[in-house]
Amino acid sequence: MIVIRKADGNDIKSVYELEKKCFKDPYPEIVLRMLYELYPELFLVAEDSETKAIIGYVSGMIRVDGFGHIVSICVDQNYRRRGIGKRLMEAIENVMHKIFSVCMFRLEVRVSNIPAIKLYESLGYRVEAILKNYYLDGEDGYLMTKKLC
Ligand SMILES: CC(C)(COP(=O)(O)OP(=O)(O)OC[C@H]1O[C@@H](n2cnc3c(N)ncnc32)[C@H](O)[C@@H]1OP(=O)(O)O)[C@@H](O)C(=O)NCCC(=O)NCCS
């Protein structure tokens, strides 16, 4: 069984190991820790209840313009297409809405990242703008947004 729960400080190392497997330009561990310390309620992990391994995470923040911003999400390759990414997204949106009264969500994604784009579209996100040369390697990004209320 996969449990979605709030991260604790001891999870950040495992999240960093996962982050390195998921992204070619991973966030440094110190940035992950900073995100966790800024918004601990918005740093969620997916844990395999049998092995206790952290196999997914999502983190977010609340912007000054009121948008809930999904900063990062990833799921271990061996656990993909089982609905865990969707559960993580729904869980963080729920916390943003219930605790921070957020009605609008936003995120950025590489234009080539079809799995992520499909996930976000399935949750109601739509492309709002193209962000030219947004990533370090020059790839464009999409700004995607979702209005809840
Ligand atoms: C994007 C990511 C988090 C999705 O996680 P996941 O647990 O596999 O996603 P889910 O199983 O919840 O998928 C939910 C829906 O998203 C869509 N989707 C997910 N992966 C997909 C893929 N490879 N191809 C097409 N659609 C996909 C489908 O609509 C899927 O529903 P379905 O399985 O019923 O068809 C995962 O692929 C990942 O960690 N990628 C690497 C990190 C990354 O790119 N993060 C996003 C950065 S912006």
Side-chain angles (χ1 to χ4, degrees):
M1 201 174 73
I2 305 301
V3 176
I4 310 287
R5 63 164 174 81
K6 205 161 138 316
D8 68 51
N10 297 325
D11 294 321
I12 305 302
K13 216 159 191 72
S14 311
V15 168
Y16 178 55
E17 293 309 314
L18 182 61
E19 172 84 5
K20 283 191 289 186
K21 286 198 251 170
C22 283
F23 297 103
K24 60 179 173 187
D25 48 357
Y27 284 120
E29 189 177 338
I30 192 163
V31 172
L32 295 171
R33 203 164 285 284
M34 193 193 72
L35 285 166
Y36 168 71
E37 277 164 16
L38 263 179
Y39 284 104
E41 302 89 348
L42 300 179
F43 205 114
L44 308 178
V45 293
E47 182 182 74
D48 186 323
S49 58
E50 268 177 38
T51 63
K52 300 292 174 202
I54 301 297
I55 54 87
Y57 92 98
V58 63
S59 83
M61 56 170 46
I62 311 297
R63 290 168 47 105
V64 285
D65 60 11
F67 273 83
H69 186 79
I70 313 299
V71 176
S72 187
I73 177 168
C74 79
V75 172
D76 184 297
Q77 196 133 23
N78 299 322
Y79 288 81
R80 289 183 191 164
R81 292 312 285 271
R82 297 195 207 170
I84 299 165
K86 194 167 195 164
R87 284 175 61 196
L88 284 166
M89 285 293 294
E90 287 171 344
I92 196 169
E93 286 180 358
N94 199 31
V95 178
M96 284 177 170
H97 181 57
K98 294 251 165 72
I99 300 186
F100 297 96
S101 304
V102 163
C103 276
M104 311 270 276
F105 305 97
R106 54 170 278 159
L107 53 85
E108 295 100 22
V109 59
R110 285 177 181 269
V111 295
S112 65
N113 193 345
I114 303 302
I117 293 167
K118 294 280 180 212
L119 166 64
Y120 303 144
E121 283 178 345
S122 78
L123 289 162
Y125 287 77
R126 296 291 172 257
V127 173
E128 177 100 17
I130 297 177
L131 308 167
K132 281 281 169 202
N133 300 316
Y134 185 73
Y135 292 95
L136 284 177
D137 60 4
E139 184 173 349
D140 295 346
Y142 288 135
L143 168 65
M144 298 185 78
T145 60
K146 169 178 173 174
K147 191 172 185 296
L148 190 69
C149 42

